[in-house]
């Protein structure tokens, strides 16, 4: 009945979401079925060979990859004795229920893996293909990272348990790019599954499971607005929250700069040139080029002094030649950052587009509308933290540069890069084009527009990484003007590009250009004269630290050694879906839920959200990959510590939790300029409650002046404000509840900033504007003896007879009052309104 009403908006939204999910699910399953049916129907059928030096003569070999697009691309390269089928990612996972991971005293961790419905379907069809083709060799060609190794292991383990590969040889092949040469080389260098990578994957899944399934139930009980906690996602939310605290505690500083507008005096037939310079010294006393004048009066005096000077003479010119080196080829995080700043792409869209470029599914239609006949992967594997390039790729790149670009833009020797990120794995190459000779302009109209933009970005960055330095000649010129016994010095800077180098392909930054830059493009010489055109002063203000974007947050996580390239996009998606952050103008802003979660975890589970602890955990997982540790040695200590922390957290009272979170959020709630690093670990700074007093009117009871320094004083009474945690979030409430029912939500406090208390006081002093209007007792009804009161509800003001009784279907008699009439309401008027409402005839129901 309420589905189509105003109150049914949420139901309609939920229905549409469920319906769209069903449609997308059906479409996905249809695509999966068509790919698998195609693989089954191809058994025994002949396909033309792309190259013939692969192992195997007339036997049918099976290759398993992850995605349908990748399978289709590789099928075009392999001969008629290969069947390439997709696994559609992971085929099994830990069930989302308690007990899926148990840590005993022995050397093993018990983990219960469950096949998904899609995984079961894939395994059954793979077994049918193995039997139908009498295949003797199975190649597991999943992605060349830890996740890909784990998928291959899951497939092999299930087939082994079901005795489907007793007579089949199983090999692991991995290639960093999808090209005939790379696939051929991978098959020739087949290997066993790397159990060290699998052990690291198992350890990560166990840690993430124990973290999530231990903390999340506690959060649901103790912090109702929190939906989940994660080993990396919680640290990412903490970074966003702490950056916001820095911004809120930032004290802006203002200063003044004095600018002189000058014009050169022509010494020959040259035209005079205009330029600007900044006052740098007065009467020989130097002033900094930034924050030169702290007050307006000194700045205005300097302006007058400049205007009085008849001319300025160049006394000194300092030249400096600077070399700027190119950036290395892209890693996952640097690609995400560049796509964000240059293409305005989100992290998720960037990775999805890079995936299409990697597996060959970016090819669309040609410019004339016909289907493009080209195909294949265009870039190397896109989840990497390495900046290195293979020797063959380097040779091809330098050969291409020598053919296409003049020698003065290049270097004599190849550049070698090493990543600067701490604890990087560097297991793969950097992200680069598979064939550097495929220029972006040749792909115009053959791949989709987003793929074209990302490929162009990758191609330009790769090309620029092996080009020469950008060389600039920077000049700093000092001019002195005289007026009477006083003198004033001004400074101007110019910059000229001597050799663009790599900047001929890749601009150094989104804010820089490759052109010469200066205040007026003028070349000054010693003793050259200039006249004064004007002089002005400009006020400047220091800016707070910028909020994180998705790309800059990933960069920070990478610098701290937290997370890995394969997890960054999912982390960004998770903290957004959990409503811990909002994204506005590509900036991450913490929500009330995110602040509460961070404050709670820092107070109760502080070690689990420490940057060093999370980074060391990643290093432990990398040590397992290197064979220097085993999964049990990492999981067991973590599980023991986590159990103890969870037991203590379960026993913690709600009042204690509110006090701990209050102490953490106090700087933001009370408007104090305190850095986030100064937050206490555990503080109970809640003022004792005063004796209860009867409150009858918000106007008469409100504190009239609020000039005291107690930031916790209630705007309505003399009570104390303290943090409370309710079903729908946190709020500041009065300690004199239920006599004083003043509240303000944390979301409103955070949105108003440091002025929230002033606004709250003004609202409390004006009942018609107050959102915290408390019932005003007008007297008693002579007939019934029930209390008559003036109240405010969601639809306006009204008078009420009596009180609402709990668990009673009947409601007290109420009558609406116009807002402009509430100042004149007394007991007599209220009784008359109620009497009219009582005697008003009811409308007949039905027809």
């Amino acid at each position: 009945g309420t589905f189509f009403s105003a109150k049914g908006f949420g139901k309609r939204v939920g229905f549409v979401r469920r319906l769209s999910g069903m449609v997308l699910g059906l479409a996905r399953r249809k695509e999966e079925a068509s790919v698998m049916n195609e693989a089954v129907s191809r058994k025994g059928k002949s396909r033309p060979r792309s190259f013939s030096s692969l192992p195997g003569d007339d036997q049918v070999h099976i290759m398993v990859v992850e995605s349908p697009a990748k399978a289709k691309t590789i099928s075009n390269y392999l001969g008629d004795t290969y069947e390439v089928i997709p696994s559609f990612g992971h085929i099994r996972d830990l069930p989302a229920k308690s007990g899926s991971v148990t840590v005993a005293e022995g050397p093993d961790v018990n983990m219960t893996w469950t096949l998904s419905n899609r995984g079961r379907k894939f395994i059954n069809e793979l077994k049918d293909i193995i039997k139908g083709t009498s295949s003797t060799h199975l190649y597991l060609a999943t992605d060349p990272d830890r996740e890909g190794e784990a998928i291959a292991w899951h497939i092999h383990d299930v087939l082994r348990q079901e005795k489907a590969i007793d007579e089949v040889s199983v090999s692991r092949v991995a290639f960093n790019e999808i090209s005939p040469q790379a696939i051929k080389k991978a098959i020739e260098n087949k290997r066993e599954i790397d159990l060290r990578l699998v052990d690291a994957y198992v350890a990560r899944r166990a840690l993430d499971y124990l973290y999530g399934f231990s903390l999340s139930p506690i959060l649901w009980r103790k912090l109702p607005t929190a939906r989940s906690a994660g080993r990396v996602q919680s640290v990412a939310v903490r970074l966003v929250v702490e950056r916001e605290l820095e911004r809120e505690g930032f004290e802006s500083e203002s200063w003044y700069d004095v600018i002189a507008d000058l014009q050169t005096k022509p010494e020959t037939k040259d035209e005079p040139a205009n330029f600007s310079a900044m006052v740098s010294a007065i009467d020989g006393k130097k002033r900094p080029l930034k924050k030169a004048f702290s007050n307006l009066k000194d700045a205005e005096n300097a302006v007058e002094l400049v205007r009085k000077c008849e001319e300025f003479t160049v006394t000194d010119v300092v030249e400096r030649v600077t070399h700027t080196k190119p950036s290395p080829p892209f890693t996952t995080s640097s690609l995400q950052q560049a796509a964000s700043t240059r293409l305005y792409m989100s992290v998720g869209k960037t990775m999805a587009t890079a995936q299409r470029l990697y597996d060959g599914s970016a090819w669309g239609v040609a410019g004339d509308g016909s289907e493009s006949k080209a195909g294949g992967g265009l870039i190397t594997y896109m989840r990497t933290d390495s900046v290195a390039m293979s020797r063959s790729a380097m040779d091809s790149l330098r050969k291409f540069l020598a053919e296409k670009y003049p020698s003065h833009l290049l270097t004599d020797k190849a550049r070698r890069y090493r990543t600067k990120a701490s604890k990087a794995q560097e297991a793969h190459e950097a992200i680069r084009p598979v064939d550097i000779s495929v220029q972006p302009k040749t792909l115009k109209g053959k791949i989709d527009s987003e793929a074209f933009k990302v490929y162009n970005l990758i191609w330009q960055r790769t090309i620029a990484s092996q080009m020469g330095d950008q060389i600039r000649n920077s000049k700093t010129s000092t001019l002195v003007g005289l007026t009477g016994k006083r003198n004033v010095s001004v400074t101007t800077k110019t910059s000229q590009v001597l050799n663009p180098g790599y900047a001929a392909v890749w601009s150094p930054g989104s804010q820089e250009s490759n052109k010469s830059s200066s205040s007026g493009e003028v070349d000054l010489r010693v003793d050259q004269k200039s006249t004064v055109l004007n002089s002005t002063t400009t006020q400047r203000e220091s800016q707070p630290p910028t909020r994180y974007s998705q790309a800059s947050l990933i960069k920070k996580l990478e610098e701290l050694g937290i997370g890995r390239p394969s997890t960054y996009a999912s982390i960004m998606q998770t903290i957004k879906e959990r409503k811990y952050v909002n994204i506005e103008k590509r900036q991450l802003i913490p929500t009330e839920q995110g602040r509460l979660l961070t404050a709670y975890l820092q107070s109760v589970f502080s070690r689990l959200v420490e940057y060093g602890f999370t980074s060391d955990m990643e290093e432990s997982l990398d040590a397992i990959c290197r064979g220097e540790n085993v999964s049990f040695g990492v999981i067991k200590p973590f599980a023991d510590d986590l159990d103890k922390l969870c037991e203590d957290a379960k026993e913690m009272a709600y009042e204690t939790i509110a006090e701990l979170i209050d102490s953490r959020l106090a700087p933001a709630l009370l408007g104090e300029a305190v850095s986030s690093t100064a937050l206490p670990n555990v503080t109970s700074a809640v003022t004792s409650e005063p004796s209860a007093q009867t409150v009858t009117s918000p106007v008469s009871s409100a504190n009239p002046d609020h000039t005291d320094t107690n930031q916790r004083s209630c705007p309505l009474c003399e009570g104390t404000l303290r943090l409370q945690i309710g079903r729908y979030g946190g709020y500041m409430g009065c300690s004199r509840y239920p006599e004083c029912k003043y509240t303000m939500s944390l979301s409103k406090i955070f949105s108003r900033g440091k002025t929230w208390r002033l606004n709250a006081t003004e609202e409390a002093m004006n009942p018609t504007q107050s959102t915290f209007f408390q019932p005003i007792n007008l007297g008693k009804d002579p007939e019934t003896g029930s209390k008559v009161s003036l109240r405010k509800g969601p639809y306006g003001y009204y008078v009420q007879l009596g009180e609402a009784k709990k668990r009673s279907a009947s409601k007290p008699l109420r009558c609406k009052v116009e807002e402009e009439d509430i100042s004149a309401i007394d007991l007599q008027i209220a009784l008359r309104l109620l009497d009219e409402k009582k005697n008003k005839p009811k409308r007949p129901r039905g027809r």
Side-chain angles (χ1 to χ4, degrees):
T2 61
F3 183 83
F4 293 101
S5 65
K7 294 183 179 179
F9 176 77
K11 294 183 179 180
R12 295 196 298 273
V13 172
F15 173 77
V16 172
R17 286 178 177 173
R18 290 193 297 271
L19 181 61
S20 62
M22 292 170 60
V23 172
L24 291 175
L26 289 172
R28 184 172 59 250
R29 286 193 291 272
K30 183 178 180 181
E31 178 188 5
E32 295 170 4
S34 64
V35 172
M36 296 304 298
N37 291 336
E38 182 183 354
V40 174
S41 64
R42 276 202 313 264
K43 290 184 291 187
K45 294 185 178 181
S46 177
R47 286 197 309 269
R49 288 178 178 271
S50 294
F51 47 88
S52 58
S53 57
L54 290 175
D57 297 322
D58 297 326
Q59 297 177 344
V60 177
H61 302 280
I62 301 173
M63 178 176 287
V64 176
V65 295
E66 291 188 37
S67 69
K70 192 174 178 181
K72 184 177 180 180
T73 302
I74 295 177
S75 294
N76 295 328
Y77 296 148
L78 297 177
D80 56 359
T81 57
Y82 278 81
E83 295 291 345
V84 185
I85 58 176
S87 70
F88 302 99
H90 281 280
I91 64 170
R92 64 180 184 177
D93 201 355
L94 296 171
K97 62 181 182 179
S98 177
S100 296
V101 177
T102 56
V103 184
E105 295 297 329
D108 295 324
V109 178
N110 298 320
M111 303 180 69
T112 304
W113 301 100
T114 302
L115 265 174
S116 64
N117 294 334
R118 187 170 62 184
R120 168 47 61 192
K121 182 179 179 181
F122 163 76
I123 290 295
N124 291 339
E125 293 177 339
L126 178 58
K127 290 163 64 176
D128 291 341
I129 294 175
I130 292 174
K131 292 179 182 179
T133 57
S134 300
S135 176
T136 61
H137 210 115
L138 172 64
Y139 293 99
L140 301 176
T142 48
D143 286 345
D145 58 1
R146 194 184 300 171
E147 291 292 317
E149 205 75 18
I151 294 173
W153 172 74
H154 280 301
I155 296 172
H156 180 272
D157 194 49
V158 173
L159 293 175
R160 179 187 57 80
Q161 293 177 12
E162 299 183 3
K163 299 181 179 180
I165 52 174
D166 292 344
E167 299 179 358
V168 178
S169 175
V170 181
S171 299
R172 174 80 168 104
V173 295
F175 34 81
N176 195 45
E177 62 186 60
I178 301 178
S179 64
Q181 297 80 9
I183 298 170
K184 176 183 176 180
K185 184 177 180 181
I187 295 177
E188 291 173 348
N189 295 278
K190 60 187 178 182
R191 58 175 174 82
E192 298 294 325
I193 294 175
D194 192 338
L195 295 180
R196 297 177 302 176
L197 296 180
V198 175
D199 200 24
Y201 160 81
V202 169
R204 183 186 66 79
R205 289 295 293 119
L207 293 173
D208 291 343
Y209 175 91
L210 292 171
Y211 194 113
F213 275 83
S214 298
L215 265 65
S216 295
I218 297 175
L219 292 175
W220 299 337
R221 292 193 297 269
K222 304 294 185 180
L223 203 65
T225 57
R227 299 179 61 184
S228 68
R231 183 174 58 89
V232 179
Q233 76 178 51
S234 297
V235 177
V237 175
R238 178 189 170 185
L239 282 169
V240 177
V241 170
E242 291 190 343
R243 175 59 59 88
E244 196 68 17
L245 288 175
E246 291 178 19
R247 289 174 56 85
E248 292 171 347
F250 178 79
E251 294 293 334
S252 179
E253 183 181 1
S254 63
W255 70 93
Y256 298 87
D257 291 333
V258 176
I259 308 297
D261 296 327
L262 307 176
Q263 185 181 73
T264 58
K265 286 186 176 181
E267 298 177 351
T268 58
K269 295 182 180 180
D270 296 337
E271 292 291 330
N274 297 343
F275 65 97
S276 298
M278 186 175 295
V279 173
S280 57
I282 295 179
D283 296 333
K285 295 181 180 179
K286 292 185 177 181
R287 290 186 174 272
L289 292 180
K290 292 185 177 180
K291 302 182 181 181
F293 299 91
S294 58
N295 59 76
L296 180 60
K297 183 178 180 181
D298 291 345
E300 290 177 341
N301 291 337
V303 168
E304 292 300 321
L305 186 61
V306 170
R307 290 174 177 174
K308 291 179 180 179
C309 296
E310 294 183 0
E311 64 179 15
F312 279 81
T313 304
V314 178
T315 59
D316 186 31
V317 176
V318 178
E319 295 191 33
R320 181 187 176 193
V321 178
T322 58
H323 292 249
T324 306
K325 297 182 181 297
S327 300
F330 280 130
T331 62
T332 299
S333 64
S334 60
L335 172 61
Q336 291 165 345
Q337 293 165 47
S340 175
T341 56
R342 294 170 183 257
L343 305 180
Y344 303 105
M345 275 190 181
S346 66
V347 169
K349 181 177 288 187
T350 300
M351 295 310 296
T353 305
Q355 176 72 46
R356 297 201 306 275
L357 288 168
Y358 167 69
D359 61 26
S361 60
W363 294 94
V365 294
D368 58 359
S370 60
E371 185 177 353
S372 175
K373 296 182 180 180
L378 289 170
I379 64 170
T380 55
Y381 192 56
M382 65 286 171
R383 296 185 183 95
T384 175
D385 54 16
S386 173
V387 293
M389 293 174 60
S390 65
R391 182 177 295 276
S392 59
M394 183 74 72
D395 294 341
S396 299
L397 173 57
R398 293 192 62 79
K399 181 180 178 181
F400 177 82
L401 288 171
E403 294 174 353
K404 298 293 183 180
Y405 292 90
S407 58
H408 71 276
L409 297 178
L410 308 179
T411 57
D412 296 332
K413 297 181 180 179
R415 295 183 185 269
R416 302 291 179 181
Y417 295 97
R418 291 188 60 84
T419 182
K420 297 181 180 179
S422 62
K423 304 176 183 177
Q425 298 178 67
E426 295 196 281
H428 316 297
E429 281 190 79
I431 303 173
R432 60 169 177 82
V434 171
D435 185 356
I436 198 65
S437 64
V438 179
Q439 301 182 54
K441 62 183 180 181
T442 64
L443 300 176
K444 193 77 170 178
K446 297 180 180 180
I447 58 177
D448 61 81
S449 59
E450 291 180 349
F452 175 80
K453 293 177 183 177
V454 174
Y455 180 81
N456 184 55
L457 203 67
I458 295 171
W459 187 87
Q460 289 180 345
R461 178 75 165 242
T462 306
I463 287 287
S465 67
Q466 289 300 318
M467 297 182 71
D469 295 352
Q470 183 191 51
I471 304 176
R472 283 177 175 267
N473 181 29
S474 301
K475 286 185 179 181
T476 302
S477 305
T478 302
L479 299 87
V480 177
L482 301 175
T483 172
K485 296 183 179 180
R486 306 196 64 184
N487 64 80
V488 56
S489 300
V490 296
T491 302
T492 185
K493 294 184 177 181
T494 60
S495 179
Q496 182 183 10
V497 175
L498 301 179
N499 187 348
Y502 73 92
V505 175
W506 177 269
S507 58
S510 58
Q511 301 300 324
E512 295 185 49
S513 66
N514 302 327
K515 300 177 181 180
S516 301
S517 62
S518 72
S519 57
E521 298 295 339
V522 60
D523 185 18
L524 298 177
R525 301 177 300 278
V526 175
D527 295 332
Q528 188 174 1
K529 309 290 184 181
S530 299
T531 57
V532 180
L533 299 178
N534 194 14
S535 181
T536 56
T537 181
T538 304
Q539 185 177 7
R540 311 283 186 182
E541 284 190 0
S542 56
Q543 299 297 319
T546 57
R547 292 187 175 102
Y548 285 113
S549 63
Q550 287 185 337
S552 61
L553 179 59
I554 288 173
K555 180 181 180 181
K556 184 64 176 179
L557 290 171
E558 187 182 44
E559 291 174 353
L560 295 173
I562 298 173
R564 285 298 177 256
S566 60
T567 63
Y568 290 142
S570 61
I571 291 170
M572 297 300 108
Q573 185 67 20
T574 298
I575 63 176
K576 179 183 176 182
E577 289 179 349
R578 297 289 187 269
K579 297 183 179 179
Y580 294 145
V581 299
N582 288 329
I583 301 179
E584 297 180 7
K585 297 180 180 179
R586 300 189 296 128
Q587 294 182 330
L588 299 179
I589 304 175
T591 62
E592 173 191 334
Q593 294 93 319
R595 289 176 182 256
L596 287 175
L597 173 69
T598 300
Y600 176 77
L601 293 178
Q602 284 185 290
S603 300
V604 182
F605 298 96
S606 59
R607 182 166 176 263
L608 299 183
V609 289
E610 288 178 358
Y611 303 136
F613 172 80
T614 310
S615 176
D616 291 342
M617 190 67 68
E618 296 288 354
E619 174 59 26
S620 299
L621 296 177
D622 293 342
I624 296 175
C625 291
R626 298 190 296 268
E628 300 170 2
N629 204 343
V630 292
S631 59
F632 183 81
V634 176
I635 299 172
K636 177 63 175 174
F638 176 80
D640 292 343
D641 294 343
L642 186 61
D643 287 342
K644 186 178 183 304
L645 288 172
C646 290
E647 289 300 322
D648 295 340
K650 290 176 182 177
E651 301 298 325
M652 189 172 293
Y654 289 97
E655 292 78 7
T656 304
I657 294 174
E659 291 177 5
L660 292 174
I661 296 178
D662 189 309
S663 65
R664 285 276 174 182
L665 296 180
L669 296 175
L670 305 179
E672 299 171 355
V674 180
S675 172
S676 61
T677 56
L679 293 176
N681 288 327
V682 176
T683 306
S684 180
V686 180
T687 310
S688 58
E689 298 184 10
S691 58
Q693 298 180 10
T694 303
V695 179
T696 59
S697 170
V699 179
S700 60
S701 303
N703 189 351
D705 48 32
H706 292 279
T707 55
D708 58 304
T709 58
N710 182 13
Q711 295 293 313
R712 292 185 177 270
S713 60
C714 176
L716 295 182
C717 66
E718 297 180 355
T720 302
L721 296 181
R722 60 185 181 184
L723 183 90
Q724 303 289 342
I725 304 220
R727 180 183 303 178
Y728 304 107
Y731 61 92
M732 294 296 285
C734 183
S735 61
R736 297 178 61 188
Y737 178 85
E739 288 81 9
C740 178
K741 297 183 180 180
Y742 175 85
T743 60
M744 178 173 279
S745 66
L746 294 187
S747 57
K748 185 174 291 188
I749 293 175
F750 294 141
S751 64
R752 292 182 175 183
K754 298 178 182 179
T755 62
W756 78 269
R757 281 193 55 83
L758 176 61
N759 296 337
T761 303
E762 292 176 352
E763 289 179 354
M765 297 298 293
N766 186 353
T768 62
Q769 300 296 327
S770 177
T771 56
F772 313 105
F773 187 87
Q774 298 187 73
I776 299 177
N777 187 8
L778 301 176
K780 291 185 177 181
D781 179 18
E783 296 182 3
T784 62
S786 300
K787 182 174 69 173
V788 179
S789 56
L790 173 65
R791 298 170 179 262
K792 183 180 181 182
Y795 304 108
Y797 295 91
Y798 62 93
V799 290
Q800 175 175 302
L801 178 63
E803 294 287 348
K805 296 180 180 180
K806 293 183 179 179
R807 299 179 181 177
S808 177
S810 61
K811 296 181 180 179
L813 183 61
R814 295 167 178 165
C815 182
K816 184 178 179 180
V817 179
E818 297 298 332
E819 184 173 324
E820 57 268 16
D821 298 333
I822 63 171
S823 59
I825 288 290
D826 57 15
L827 180 60
Q828 297 302 322
I829 296 177
L831 289 174
R832 178 170 57 82
L833 293 173
L834 292 169
D835 187 60
E836 291 176 358
K837 178 68 179 291
K838 182 178 180 181
N839 297 326
K840 185 177 181 180
K842 296 182 179 179
R843 291 185 299 175
R845 294 187 177 181
R847 295 185 179 178

